[in-house]
Amino acid sequence: MPERTLDIVPVKIHIKEQPAVFDRFAAQWTPTLVIFDPLGAERHRFEGFLPPEEFLAQLELGLAHAAFAGKRWAEAERRFRQIVDSFSTSDAAPEALYWAGVARYKGGDANALPETARLFKLKYPDSAWAKKSSVWER
């Protein structure tokens, strides 16, 4: 079966012109970006201004989470790894590394979790995500 990718449909909602729509999505601050999966379930959200590199990393993180929720393990892992590779210094990168390991594990690779824990020691040893992955160490 060919791998399915997610499409992005940007929607702009102005808080003063469309407050009911703004409230519908429980936005607390502007700008708010919400990533939904194809069935309409929220998969990722970030609020407030971000510089372009951080914005792109967060956008990709949302798409990766949507692929993960859809059990498209290979696509999710690829998207998470792309963040680690392309936005390695972003705030999203440690989270992406964690979920890339989980996606790889869910895709059938039993070695994915301990290998991911080892990578955390090299790349992001002081992150909260490194602490979460520490239980995977052998």
Side-chain angles (χ1 to χ4, degrees):
M1 174 186 286
E3 192 171 287
R4 184 177 177 278
T5 59
L6 301 170
D7 297 321
I8 297 174
V9 179
V11 177
K12 180 179 178 181
I13 301 167
H14 193 284
I15 187 171
K16 291 182 181 176
E17 295 171 4
Q18 299 167 293
V21 177
F22 196 83
D23 290 342
R24 176 179 173 209
F25 296 106
Q28 302 294 308
W29 192 244
T30 61
T32 295
L33 224 80
V34 184
I35 310 290
F36 297 96
D37 69 15
L39 299 176
E42 183 176 326
R43 296 301 173 193
H44 188 63
R45 161 186 301 249
F46 57 100
E47 297 168 321
F49 171 81
L50 290 173
E53 293 295 310
E54 290 287 342
F55 177 89
L56 292 172
Q58 288 291 327
L59 182 61
E60 188 63 36
L61 190 59
L63 296 173
H65 278 300
F68 186 92
K71 299 181 181 179
R72 294 186 306 279
W73 311 126
E75 177 188 351
E77 181 187 0
R78 178 182 54 76
R79 286 185 177 278
F80 287 127
R81 292 219 184 273
Q82 181 179 337
I83 298 163
V84 175
D85 294 342
S86 300
F87 306 104
S88 62
T89 61
S90 73
D91 290 340
E95 179 178 352
L97 178 59
Y98 180 93
W99 288 108
V102 175
R104 189 171 139 207
Y105 175 81
K106 291 240 189 209
D109 185 345
N111 294 317
L113 300 181
E115 288 176 15
T116 300
R118 281 191 293 281
L119 280 174
F120 266 106
K121 288 184 176 182
L122 298 172
K123 290 181 170 268
Y124 310 108
D126 298 324
S127 72
W129 295 95
K131 293 173 187 171
K132 292 178 181 188
S133 71
S134 66
V135 299
W136 302 338
E137 295 174 1
R138 288 189 191 162

